[in-house]
Amino acid sequence: MRPYSPGLEGVIAAETALGFVDGANGRLLYRGYPIGQLVEHGTYSAVAELLWTGEWRPDARLTTAPIPGPVMTALRALPPTAKPMDALRTAVSVWGATQVLEWPPTPEQARAVTSFSPSALAAFARLRRGLEPIEPDPALDLVTGFLTQLNGERPDPATARALDAYFIVGAEHGLNASTFTARVIISTRSDIASAVSGAIGAMKGPLHGGAPSEVVEQLHRVGTPEHAEQWVREALDRGERLMGFGHRVYRAYDPRAAALRKVAESMEHKPDWLDLAIKVEDVALRVLAERHPERPLKTNVEYYAAAVLQGVGLTPDLFPATFALARHAGWTAHVLEQVAANKLIRPDARYVGPAERDLPV
Ligand code: ACO
């Protein structure tokens, strides 16, 4: 009997040279480079190119792309109550129907979908508020363009830089569920738009798409720094989980949280609750360690992602779709890696149904 691993836990299902998630030591490397250095010295465009091509080109530049007519028609047809993740998944699907996406997928195709999606999300976010979408400005880099198309005004450079840092830390994270989905889809010789729209569908689930908006709600419940200690202790006594702490892989401080904390602290428009967040983090780490010294629970990426996303002015319901925009680089890099040595991904299931029997005729 071959072993069955529920959730494929512990199963090596691919080889990758893209992201190395070193949970025991709290390290995340993209093609060998530590995430902290990439955030400090890189841009999302350079990091995306690194993932796609393996080359470090700090001056690489992506811009947002125009939205094809049929995509705009589809976005206009959606109800304003549609979830931004649904709108983004739909937009990528319609976009794919307007493109000639030949096999095998190329870095050019990866650039095209990564440049298209921010325009689509910004357009939907405006349409649902009764506002007209804004055309991309090719003079702006991808993240500045996204914020401009979303808000109708150019962000200050510090704000754009903060969101760019968030995009870098969100770009890639090994063989997570959505990335695996993208690889499965492309392994059938489908196309990059199908792989990305499938990946968005996988990321939409609450077990994957992250909890930054819950971190915001948690801080609202804490209220004030003076109340932090009592709130944390009472929440743990009630058996609740502290949002933004713990991780399946990282047993040490999540290196993405460390990079984003630095960014959040240096932001011009810090959310007014950042000081509260820092206080709650100090208390939470102390109390979690005190209660279970044998079980390390440290800050995860979502904690400071919330600060950065709120600080750049995004509403919490846009957080998951913004995470999806950032992950386009990783999804598409995995697509390229998969097709470079393609083998159809087709695991087996163990049959546990009835033995052969006759129909009751
Ligand atoms: N607060 C308090 N206790 C916790 C927390 C937490 N944040 N996280 C885990 N624990 C406790 C659990 O209650 C459990 O205790 P028990 O054994 O006494 O029942 C123990 O630690 C182990 O928990 P698991 O669920 O087995 O840990 P796992 O590694 O599967 O969970 C997860 C990881 C889901 C992230 C968890 O830590 C959690 O729920 N955190 C809060 C939500 C959150 O921040 N999510 C975003 C994660 S970042 C990301 O996924 C991109």
Side-chain angles (χ1 to χ4, degrees):
M1 288 280 268
R2 283 176 290 155
Y4 161 51
S5 175
L8 300 185
E9 194 173 358
V11 172
I12 307 276
E15 284 190 323
T16 184
L18 299 170
F20 176 39
V21 184
D22 179 3
N25 298 305
R27 285 190 307 162
L28 172 62
L29 312 178
Y30 293 172
R31 292 196 183 270
Y33 300 118
I35 192 69
Q37 291 183 25
L38 291 165
V39 167
E40 202 170 332
H41 304 293
T43 62
Y44 180 69
S45 301
V47 165
E49 288 293 338
L50 172 72
L51 291 169
W52 293 327
T53 65
E55 285 168 33
W56 180 242
R57 293 201 286 112
D59 54 346
R61 205 157 154 281
L62 292 170
T63 57
T64 55
I67 300 176
V71 179
M72 198 62 98
T73 305
L75 290 175
R76 288 185 193 280
L78 293 176
T81 50
K83 289 203 168 75
M85 280 294 258
D86 288 331
L88 183 62
R89 190 198 58 232
T90 304
V92 172
S93 181
V94 180
W95 176 85
T98 68
Q99 307 294 304
V100 180
L101 296 170
E102 274 166 7
W103 178 271
T106 58
E108 204 40 61
Q109 292 180 10
R111 279 181 206 109
V113 68
T114 303
S115 303
F116 156 77
S117 286
S119 295
L121 180 60
F124 174 71
R126 290 182 71 79
L127 287 168
R128 69 179 181 164
R129 290 164 58 208
L131 300 170
E132 272 306 297
I134 293 172
E135 287 291 316
D137 178 347
L140 305 178
D141 68 82
L142 188 95
V143 167
T144 308
F146 169 58
L147 285 172
T148 307
Q149 286 165 250
L150 188 67
N151 298 325
E153 59 186 40
R154 227 158 124 166
D156 62 74
T159 298
R161 177 75 200 117
L163 188 61
D164 199 77
Y166 170 80
F167 269 53
I168 293 172
V169 307
E172 153 64 11
H173 211 238
L175 202 61
N176 50 77
S178 58
T179 301
F180 185 53
T181 304
R183 287 188 82 128
V184 170
I185 292 173
I186 209 67
S187 82
T188 69
R189 288 197 171 217
S190 181
D191 60 75
I192 203 165
S194 303
V196 171
S197 54
I200 296 169
M203 184 180 260
K204 191 186 157 197
L207 294 187
H208 186 9
S213 49
E214 293 180 36
V215 173
V216 177
E217 279 163 31
Q218 175 175 276
L219 290 170
H220 281 310
R221 288 200 294 275
V222 177
T224 61
E226 301 72 48
H227 191 214
E229 178 104 19
Q230 189 195 347
W231 190 91
V232 165
R233 289 186 184 280
E234 286 177 2
L236 292 175
D237 288 343
R238 287 192 298 271
E240 286 176 19
R241 291 186 176 206
L242 303 179
M243 290 299 133
F245 297 89
H247 195 274
R248 175 59 62 81
V249 182
Y250 292 115
R251 294 301 166 198
Y253 200 102
D254 185 332
R256 302 168 298 171
L260 287 181
R261 175 173 170 162
K262 262 199 208 167
V263 171
E265 285 180 307
S266 65
M267 274 169 79
E268 207 165 306
H269 304 293
K270 288 196 257 289
D272 47 12
W273 45 262
L274 184 60
D275 289 341
L276 174 64
I278 291 171
K279 170 73 181 170
V280 171
E281 181 189 25
D282 288 347
V283 171
L285 290 175
R286 177 162 47 77
V287 176
L288 286 168
E290 181 188 297
R291 295 208 172 183
H292 288 282
E294 78 297 347
R295 185 182 69 200
L297 283 174
K298 304 281 194 211
T299 316
N300 67 43
V301 64
E302 305 294 352
Y303 199 75
Y304 285 105
V308 170
L309 294 174
Q310 177 113 340
V312 303
L314 294 177
T315 51
D317 73 335
L318 286 175
F319 290 1
T322 307
F323 179 28
L325 295 183
R327 188 52 61 83
H328 271 52
W331 289 332
T332 51
H334 276 268
V335 159
L336 299 177
E337 192 176 56
Q338 176 67 31
V339 303
N342 195 38
K343 170 125 179 113
L344 176 68
I345 299 175
R346 203 301 188 190
D348 282 342
R350 179 179 297 160
Y351 179 70
V352 294
E356 183 173 347
R357 52 187 170 158
D358 291 323
L359 261 182
V361 284

